[in-house]
Amino acid sequence: MSTADMPPAPSGRQRSDVRRNEQKLLDAAASVFVRMGIDAPVREIAAEAGLGMGTVYRHFPTRADLVVAVFRHQLDALAVAADNPAAADTPYEVLRRWVHRFADFLVTKHGLAEALHSDQAGFEALHNEFVERLLPVLDQLLKDSASAGCTRADVRAYDFMLAIGNLCIGVETFPDYQARRMIDLLLAGLTRTAPAPS
Amino acid sequence: MSTADMPPAPSGRQRSDVRRNEQKLLDAAASVFVRMGIDAPVREIAAEAGLGMGTVYRHFPTRADLVVAVFRHQLDALAVAADNPAAADTPYEVLRRWVHRFADFLVTKHGLAEALHSDQAGFEALHNEFVERLLPVLDQLLKDSASAGCTRADVRAYDFMLAIGNLCIGVETFPDYQARRMIDLLLAGLTRTAPAPS
Amino acid sequence: MSTADMPPAPSGRQRSDVRRNEQKLLDAAASVFVRMGIDAPVREIAAEAGLGMGTVYRHFPTRADLVVAVFRHQLDALAVAADNPAAADTPYEVLRRWVHRFADFLVTKHGLAEALHSDQAGFEALHNEFVERLLPVLDQLLKDSASAGCTRADVRAYDFMLAIGNLCIGVETFPDYQARRMIDLLLAGLTRTAPAPS
Amino acid sequence: MSTADMPPAPSGRQRSDVRRNEQKLLDAAASVFVRMGIDAPVREIAAEAGLGMGTVYRHFPTRADLVVAVFRHQLDALAVAADNPAAADTPYEVLRRWVHRFADFLVTKHGLAEALHSDQAGFEALHNEFVERLLPVLDQLLKDSASAGCTRADVRAYDFMLAIGNLCIGVETFPDYQARRMIDLLLAGLTRTAPAPS
DNA sequence: TATGAATGAGGTTTCATTCAT
DNA sequence: TATGAATGAAACCTCATTCAT
């Protein structure tokens, strides 16, 4: 009932062109966001994609839509990254590894950590996207680790997620800043603070 | 008889007005930076100060000059905040208190933590300002604490300072984010990781 | 069947509109340059053309581009003006007529002579344009006339061209100044100075 | 009645200070006009004179007043330059020498020739100044030379004066332009044109 | 009388967004 | 559906000019 009553017959080909364009735009935007920040001129993104500016607006009516789409796309990979626990690790090890994978993600997608705090359009949506996709994963990892007695139980996944993200900020602009060490410090702080080894 | 015995002084009153205006501008800029970010229109700052735009440029020829001035002004207070050690504390306690004072500073100067990472003009100068003023203080505190055996000695003050700053980011925009808890977590990670308390 | 056999052509109509706008801009700029000088506000030119300011910048990214374009367009006509020698004239007559045509050009394009000396952006380009287009023509005319024994051979076309241009300056602003008489005086000075009245 | 009822007694000293300042301003303006053109910022002139901006305005309420004053000052020297005819010269030689002296003046006061055509405030006054001071001198020289049969009688001093001025334009900006040759050409055109080849 | 701080109009340029083709 | 030309608001920065001291 849906596609049937459309004009001459859009033909699968056209539809796939459209999708191809959307992909081009996502890739282009990701790359441009890195190069020029999340406030990069729309024209720049269109040019990078080899498309017209109107096409950007057709696919992503607001900048927010584009921003979210760019990163949603990249979050998918991370959301499933906790699914293969690698068997014989302690829950803390699993948590630890995921956290660093998260940091990898933020750091390699240069500028993403900073972008999360942009006060521009799309900002809220972007944040929500992260929360929706990653918070459940991290929450589970924290709970597992706490249940196993490895780590504190009084740390909220939300705070922890933002903290990790924050610690990644500035890696690019301050080349001397070693975010990884600080992330490890945060992880260390998470471990059951020695109060009673016995 | 009149002008002859004056110093070159071009009327003391005027000079004090000028200084008053400079202060107005610093206050206005601090407030506007918070509201609109470090890239706020100059016109906005002028308006907030109740002065003309030209006056802003007279006092601070480049945006960098203004940005640096705004924060240098506020750093002075913090740089001396470690001078009154409050006697009977452990070095770790002193460190801990200063770190929270630093966080207070960043958080109450709403937006300042974010501003530290702006990739705009004045950015480098701002960063340098922080490094020059605060790094020595923090470095000393860390060393004292490590010497006393309270904390690790393998943490660089530079990383730690940026980390604290980073953890404060987003406090305003994500009201649910509890930066203080994360700072405490980082401080906890700093403590000599309970090799054997006994 | 449809798009396949078209060239890449992005709709011929659009392109012609674009060209029409460019022409509008050239006309508008020529007119405004006369009225307000070569430094006229871009906004003025846009208004005169009935277009937006952005459009000016799209077509002519720098002021120099616009300035040069305005006059290049008008130089074309002059560069070929020496091609129809009108048969039975002496080379000196031909030279004389072209010089006055050049002066006509400068004077009727009110303000152009002055514009040639603007120390603003685009100035060098404008001068070069004149040199490239007109100098060869004038040089040939001078040589022909000198070869025929009508005029001195020791006058450089470059100096002469600038001199003609200079003599046209002020025609508008000093209504009483009769540039033509001075041009004739210069031409008279060019003739083989009374070889031997004996 | 006039100076008598003034305040405490301005004292000759003060008056001479005022005059000294005026001279400072004239010198400074002349120098700045050369360096930055006739539209140079007022502040620049004040700075060059080592005085406040307000003082500039006190002495020369409009820019026109300053411009005129600067050049009037320099015209005085030229106006008398024809007074010492050096005895044994032909009137044409005297004319010729004065013309080159005029050109010297324009060329060495870099930018002055161009300034004569500025469409800015003070322009008309400047032009008038030249006319009033120099036209009588040049007119007399032309008449003397014509009376002696050296040169044409049908050339108006006004046109000739402007022509000389114009030919000096661009000497600075087009280093390759040899204004002197063109002035000589104009002078050559002035000579009784090859009496009659018949 | 001299000063120079303050003002703000006016120029430049950039881009987000619309819309005719 | 895709295009990119056009628009114009908005930011920047520079002085001419005023006026309190």
Side-chain angles (χ1 to χ4, degrees), chain D residues 21 52-55 58:
Chain D
N21 277 346
M53 288 176 358
T55 308
R58 157 172 296 276

Side-chain angles (χ1 to χ4, degrees), chain D residues 4-187:
Chain D
D5 46 7
M6 280 192 175
S11 92
R13 171 75 103 96
Q14 263 187 48
R15 207 145 55 217
S16 86
D17 280 358
V18 168
R19 202 163 294 163
R20 192 162 19 254
N21 277 346
E22 189 149 325
Q23 191 53 50
K24 272 198 230 165
L25 282 171
L26 288 172
D27 293 345
S31 151
V32 169
F33 284 170
V34 162
R35 205 172 59 241
M36 312 187 50
I38 203 174
D39 302 325
V42 170
R43 186 184 307 269
E44 196 73 22
I45 294 164
E48 176 89 18
L51 296 171
M53 288 176 358
T55 308
V56 179
Y57 283 94
R58 157 172 296 276
H59 285 276
F60 306 100
T62 76
R63 178 187 290 270
D65 295 323
L66 177 54
V67 170
V68 169
V70 163
F71 294 121
R72 162 153 40 212
H73 182 256
Q74 307 187 315
L75 283 179
D76 290 345
L78 195 65
V80 295
D83 291 347
N84 42 357
D89 287 331
T90 69
Y92 175 73
E93 243 336 279
V94 175
L95 166 66
R96 197 176 171 286
R97 201 167 312 130
W98 188 87
V99 163
H100 274 287
R101 208 146 20 188
F102 181 30
D104 282 344
F105 167 63
L106 290 174
V107 165
T108 54
K109 283 16 173 194
H110 311 280
L112 198 161
E114 286 83 349
L116 274 170
H117 294 281
S118 165
D119 56 350
Q120 299 290 344
F123 147 76
E124 197 178 341
L126 183 59
H127 177 250
N128 291 341
E129 198 65 21
F130 268 71
V131 169
E132 279 176 30
R133 310 290 272 187
L134 301 186
L135 201 51
V137 174
L138 179 56
D139 191 48
Q140 190 57 53
L141 293 173
L142 282 171
K143 283 202 176 105
D144 292 349
S145 180
S147 304
C150 303
T151 51
R152 300 177 176 201
D154 63 348
V155 171
R156 304 188 316 164
Y158 182 73
D159 293 335
F160 200 69
M161 188 181 82
L162 291 192
I164 301 298
N166 279 358
L167 288 178
C168 292
I169 292 177
V171 167
E172 310 251 85
T173 36
F174 306 127
D176 204 36
Y177 169 55
Q178 301 190 5
R180 294 316 176 105
R181 289 183 168 222
M182 295 299 103
I183 288 174
D184 277 331
L185 213 55
L186 201 70
L187 282 164

